[in-house]
Amino acid sequence: MNARPPDPRDAPFADSGQVLRRLLGLARGHRGWMAAGAALALLSTLSGIGLLAVSGHFITSMALAGASGAAINYYTPAALIRLLAILRTGGRYAERLITHEATLRVLARLRIWLFGRLVPLAPAGLGGLRSAELFSRLRADVDALEHAYLGVLIPLLVALVVTGIVLATALLYLPVLALWLLLPIGLGGVLLPRWAMKKGAAPGATVVECAETLRTLAADGLRGRAELALYGTESAHAERIAAATIRLQQARRQTNRLEAISGAGVALAAQLAVVGVLVFGLPALHTATLAPPDLTMLVLLAMAAFDAIAPLPEAWAQLGATMASARRVFALADTPPPVIEPQAPSPVVHDDGLSIRRLRLSYGALEPWVLDGVDLDLPQGHRLAVVGPSGAGKSSLVGALLRLYPYQGSITLGGTPLDTWQGDDVRARIAVVDQQPYLFDASLRNNLCIARPDATDEQLKKVIVQAQLDGYVASLPQGLDTWVGENGVRVSGGEARRIAIARALLADAPILVLDEPTEGLDAGTAAQLYQALAAAMAGRSVLLITHRLGGLSTLVDEVATMRHGRIIECVPTAVYLGVFSGAERASAASPAGQVTGI
């Protein structure tokens, strides 16, 4: 049911050309920027090659004219040299601006596209990925895709056009020379890049894998540093980091070795090209088939052509890492959503009652059932508490009600099957206060207004009072504009829960689900909170998940006991509290007033 996303190395996009075509398809909206960047790169490269060739021809012509005393028109070539120099410098500057602008636009589009693909997967389809792995796919892997445009596409296009122009020029002056140049150009522009790509695929994939492993280990080490110190496993964790680092360094050394060999091969091919020009050009010079300035121009032209070919082997050696990142991104994006959204709009109902029959839920095909035949009813306006030991399935029940996980059995909302509802519509009718609520790194006001962006100050004040936060807010120097920090680091656990409760009340949903809302609160504050919630939710439904018995009679009408993924009994609150008393209460209650054996 909840399977880990497929291994990128087994992804269906094993062909690099297919992956590149898909990347270009996703960049469709920015092809104008990409084309402009490629055109400027071509312009600056051709200008540099032309500058070198024309300069050589001009200098040789001037030397011969000076030796012979012949007249020569130096204005035209001098102006052409100045023009090519300006085009080379200005084109290079503009090319850097445009290509990087295009790259950043494409990466932004890719990141938004990937995030849009991830939303339907959360949380069921992403359960096999840790946060560091997911962050690595969303940031590092997407960033690595810039090489596909800057390092592969543009150099390839420039090399193709430059090679064609150089061969055409050689064919015009000396046809046999054009045939010879096919050999070194094929070596440096085709064979070496192909060899580098083939040999660089495995170490490139290893670099991506080890980089993600190191990010995960670093995140785990920071998040679990107290546990590592407690159990004395810091050395073992450091050894795992060292092993991953060694593998990363070995893979990078292999890639660097490929780049060095490829660079030397291109330099050798360039020398072969020059030798070929001299071998075929000098006899033509003696037979007056070729003029001396033309021979100088062809020599420099052959050398300059390899400036466009030189980046290819290194770029294609790095292509393995880029394709590995692309396959990881596409493998994650192509993971089918575990919960399928209906095509039709959500039904229109006039009742918000919930009915659950034979509900079963598992977090994986090989995982045990965390819910195994749950039967439960929550009529509109009814208030129900679900109690039970940790691991009984209480929080999993909430996940099924919100259509976050696939399930078996039947859940109806307003008499209509829950799987005919759009997920967002379900979650608009069921406000949830999680056991560990998340607060964004923003002001208290912003965190509350997530539930209702257009909320007025009067509405905010009302829910703050209902959540027993009025005293806390009054003590803040900036009131609602006080920053709460990342994940609420500047507030206590009890305050974070009450902020989440105020946010849920602000949503004004017909059903309110509270998962351990009084955790971290003293008994007096918890009782006042229950009383305020009872008044605030008048006429609406409440589902309370709790370990604490205090104040239950104030808020809920019935108590359902869950064990091993099933509801074993559901009785009125008064009956439940009457049964659970005396010696049983004393033996089951913890010193903090929590009941652990329910």
Side-chain angles (χ1 to χ4, degrees):
M1 295 172 63
N2 175 26
R4 182 186 179 90
D7 190 336
R9 289 168 292 187
D10 300 326
F13 303 100
D15 179 63
S16 297
Q18 187 175 359
V19 176
L20 286 172
R21 285 192 296 272
R22 188 172 183 186
L23 285 174
L24 290 176
L26 292 172
R28 186 177 296 110
H30 303 294
R31 286 182 179 176
W33 284 93
M34 296 172 68
L40 287 170
L42 180 60
L43 174 64
S44 61
T45 302
L46 288 176
S47 299
I49 294 174
L51 177 63
L52 188 61
V54 172
S55 299
H57 189 283
F58 178 60
I59 292 172
T60 305
S61 300
M62 290 290 291
L64 292 174
S68 62
I72 185 174
N73 175 19
Y74 64 87
Y75 292 105
T76 301
L80 182 59
I81 289 173
R82 289 187 178 89
L83 175 62
L84 291 174
I86 293 172
L87 289 177
R88 180 179 180 273
T89 304
R92 184 68 66 187
Y93 178 76
E95 178 253 327
R96 290 289 188 269
L97 288 179
I98 299 300
T99 54
H100 284 78
E101 178 69 19
T103 300
L104 294 175
R105 286 174 178 262
V106 170
L107 293 184
R109 179 182 176 87
L110 284 173
R111 192 167 283 113
I112 293 172
W113 170 81
L114 179 59
F115 185 79
R117 292 296 189 98
L118 294 180
V119 170
L121 301 180
L126 302 177
L129 288 172
R130 288 179 285 185
S131 58
E133 293 176 300
L134 188 59
F135 180 73
S136 180
R137 304 281 179 97
L138 190 60
R139 191 199 66 81
D141 284 342
V142 172
D143 285 347
L145 300 183
E146 70 176 9
H147 182 77
Y149 173 62
L150 291 176
V152 176
L153 183 60
I154 288 183
L156 180 60
L157 291 175
V158 170
L160 286 174
V161 175
V162 168
T163 299
I165 292 176
V166 169
L167 290 176
T169 305
L171 185 64
L172 180 64
Y173 282 89
L174 197 62
V176 68
L177 178 60
L179 295 176
W180 163 257
L181 288 178
L182 287 175
L183 176 62
I185 288 176
L187 174 63
V190 178
L191 296 180
L192 279 175
R194 182 179 178 83
W195 174 81
M197 181 178 65
K198 182 178 179 180
K199 294 295 184 180
T206 302
V207 167
V208 175
E209 177 189 347
C210 291
E212 181 183 72
T213 300
L214 286 172
R215 293 187 196 97
T216 303
L217 289 173
D220 290 346
L222 291 173
R223 191 178 295 112
R225 60 189 182 279
E227 289 78 4
L228 290 173
L230 178 63
Y231 293 103
T233 56
E234 293 171 300
S235 298
H237 191 75
E239 290 174 1
R240 287 194 291 270
I241 294 177
T245 303
I246 291 173
R247 285 190 62 207
L248 178 63
Q249 291 173 341
Q250 290 174 343
R252 284 180 172 166
R253 276 197 294 268
Q254 293 180 33
T255 303
N256 293 338
R257 190 179 301 116
L258 289 175
E259 294 175 4
I261 295 174
S262 300
V266 172
L268 176 61
Q271 298 306 314
L272 287 176
V274 172
V275 170
V277 173
L278 294 176
V279 167
F280 293 103
L282 289 175
L285 185 65
H286 285 295
T287 60
T289 306
L290 193 67
D294 294 337
L295 178 59
T296 305
M297 179 194 69
L298 290 175
V299 170
L300 295 176
L301 190 67
M303 292 180 59
F306 281 86
D307 288 342
I309 295 173
L312 292 182
E314 179 181 348
W316 289 77
Q318 296 286 345
L319 187 62
T322 304
M323 292 298 100
S325 295
R327 293 183 187 111
R328 285 156 51 88
V329 169
F330 289 145
L332 182 59
D334 293 338
T335 303
V339 180
I340 305 300
E341 292 285 337
Q343 297 296 324
S346 300
V348 178
V349 298
H350 303 287
D351 180 86
D352 293 297
L354 284 169
S355 179
I356 303 171
R357 293 292 179 270
R358 301 177 302 280
L359 179 63
R360 305 184 81 196
L361 187 149
S362 172
Y363 291 120
L366 303 178
E367 298 295 328
W369 295 104
V370 292
L371 297 178
D372 192 9
V374 174
D375 292 310
L376 195 64
D377 290 306
L378 183 65
Q380 180 175 336
H382 199 65
R383 300 174 183 183
L384 175 69
V386 178
V387 298
S390 297
K394 303 184 299 297
S395 297
S396 300
L397 176 62
V398 178
L401 292 177
L402 295 178
R403 295 203 73 227
L404 298 178
Y405 296 94
Y407 59 84
Q408 298 179 12
S410 170
I411 303 177
T412 62
L413 175 59
T416 60
L418 198 66
D419 54 14
T420 64
W421 286 74
Q422 298 286 338
D424 290 342
D425 293 334
V426 172
R427 293 182 281 274
R429 287 180 172 263
I430 304 177
V432 178
V433 178
D434 291 324
Q435 191 170 356
Q436 295 180 336
Y438 188 86
L439 298 182
F440 291 90
D441 189 12
S443 67
L444 178 57
R445 182 190 303 275
N446 291 336
N447 274 277
L448 293 175
C449 289
I450 291 173
R452 181 180 292 183
D454 59 346
T456 64
D457 288 343
E458 288 300 320
Q459 290 172 325
L460 292 174
K461 181 179 179 181
K462 179 180 178 182
V463 297
I464 286 171
V465 172
Q466 291 171 339
Q468 304 297 299
L469 274 173
D470 48 330
Y472 166 72
V473 173
S475 67
L476 297 175
Q478 295 178 296
L480 288 174
D481 296 319
T482 302
W483 219 254
V484 301
E486 184 178 359
N487 198 15
V489 69
R490 298 183 180 180
V491 301
S492 67
E495 290 161 352
R497 289 179 188 277
R498 282 179 285 170
I499 292 172
I501 291 172
R503 185 165 59 193
L505 291 174
L506 189 62
D508 199 27
I511 303 172
L512 177 63
V513 177
L514 304 165
D515 193 351
E516 299 291 352
T518 60
E519 189 75 21
L521 301 181
D522 59 81
T525 303
Q528 294 174 4
L529 178 61
Y530 277 154
Q531 291 175 357
L533 288 175
M537 293 301 295
R540 290 178 288 176
S541 306
V542 175
L543 179 62
L544 173 66
I545 296 173
T546 184
H547 283 95
R548 301 181 68 170
L549 298 180
L552 281 182
S553 58
T554 305
L555 182 60
V556 300
D557 308 314
E558 286 186 306
V559 178
T561 303
M562 177 176 280
R563 291 181 187 274
H564 307 298
R566 295 184 179 183
I567 300 295
I568 61 174
E569 70 170 355
C570 187
V571 298
T573 306
V575 174
Y576 178 82
L577 294 176
V579 171
F580 198 87
S581 61
E584 188 177 3
R585 179 189 296 273
S587 63
S590 66
Q594 291 195 354
V595 179
T596 59
I598 301 174

